[in-house]
Amino acid sequence: MTRLQGKTALITGAATGIGRAVAERFAQEGARVVIADRDGEAATATAAAIGAGARAAVMDISDESSVAAAFSALAADGWRPDVVVANAGVQLFGHDAPAAELDLDVWRRTIDVNLTGTFLTVKHAVRAMLAAGGGSIILTGSPTGLNGEGRDFTAYSASKAGIHGLARTVAAAYADRGIRVNTVVPAYTETSLVTAISSDPESRAAIIGRIPLGRAGTPDDIAGAMVFLASDDGAFATGATFAVDGGMTTI
């Protein structure tokens, strides 16, 4: 398991959940990993748990100065990333709502982190990769950005739809300079982000009932797909959307 040997990967939102699982799997595959998270203490703990091939970076993806400073510091230390996973995001359960009921502040907070934050991560990843001659960028999408799955989550769904469009545009713009951009779309995946669903048996059963494989996703399910896209095995994949959703998009 050394498909990422010699590569350096930065994963945002990597202190917990899907991001942490991806960082752990990348490290197992031989990569050096940067645990980028706005929670510096949690990022440091995750990096320590992974071991010598990991380091923490405090990064608030909604703040360009924070993103730029993190990328600059990594480059100065010889940790310029070959792979960037733009995974960090928020879902404001109890606040996000159908459009007519949605507070503007909730919309702005969600877009600032999920869409603008992903854009800023991609922007500075592209700059770093242009200097290095190429690389792989992987975005975390959502079925809510593709279909009516998120009808009660207007801001979140819109932010994820924007991410899908961003990935295709950046892939087209930089393919001739060796930069690949793809989106992985998990179905309902049980992490701390979705405690509002996982702690409610009725809500959990309803969403799992729409997954043909009959179970929730796990962070490890997503990590395997991202290893492929980060590795040379995925060298001909760009601008694509990879559903890892237990068949959810087939119904």
Side-chain angles (χ1 to χ4, degrees):
M1 294 185 24
T2 57
R3 285 184 288 174
L4 302 181
Q5 192 70 42
K7 295 185 184 295
T8 299
L10 179 150
I11 304 100
T12 66
T16 60
I18 290 174
R20 177 166 181 155
V22 171
E24 291 171 342
R25 181 65 182 277
F26 279 16
Q28 291 167 11
E29 294 281 354
R32 297 189 303 175
V33 293
V34 179
I35 311 302
D37 204 284
R38 65 180 178 181
D39 185 338
E41 185 175 338
T44 298
T46 297
I50 291 173
R55 65 178 284 174
V58 178
M59 183 187 296
D60 178 354
I61 63 169
S62 66
D63 177 355
E64 184 165 19
S65 63
S66 175
V67 176
F71 274 92
S72 178
L74 291 168
D77 289 347
W79 280 67
R80 178 186 285 117
D82 309 290
V83 179
V84 171
V85 180
N87 168 75
V90 296
Q91 188 166 8
L92 301 180
F93 287 97
H95 300 281
D96 206 346
E101 303 159 30
L102 180 63
D103 287 343
L104 179 58
D105 180 60
V106 174
W107 168 271
R108 284 175 171 158
R109 286 164 58 200
T110 304
I111 296 298
D112 281 352
V113 175
N114 290 4
L115 185 52
T116 303
T118 297
F119 159 69
L120 292 173
T121 303
V122 170
K123 174 182 176 178
H124 290 276
V126 167
R127 288 183 174 181
M129 290 174 184
L130 287 173
S136 173
I137 300 173
I138 306 166
L139 280 56
T140 301
S142 170
T144 65
L146 298 172
N147 54 37
E149 190 65 33
R151 64 183 183 178
D152 293 329
F153 298 100
T154 302
Y156 183 81
S157 302
S159 72
K160 290 297 185 176
I163 286 171
H164 295 158
L166 175 67
R168 291 190 294 270
T169 301
V170 179
Y174 294 100
D176 62 348
R177 280 171 274 186
I179 298 174
R180 298 185 294 108
V181 187
N182 293 285
T183 306
V184 172
V185 182
Y188 169 66
T189 303
E190 292 195 329
T191 69
S192 58
L193 184 68
V194 295
T195 303
I197 296 174
S198 61
S199 62
D200 180 344
E202 185 175 346
S203 296
R204 184 177 185 276
I207 195 166
I208 290 177
R210 298 197 298 278
I211 300 175
L213 285 184
R215 67 170 177 86
T218 70
D220 287 338
D221 291 325
I222 312 308
M226 290 193 177
V227 167
F228 165 75
L229 292 171
S231 75
D232 293 341
D233 290 341
F236 201 54
T238 195
T241 300
F242 291 80
V244 185
D245 62 3
M248 200 171 189
T249 52
T250 68
I251 59 174

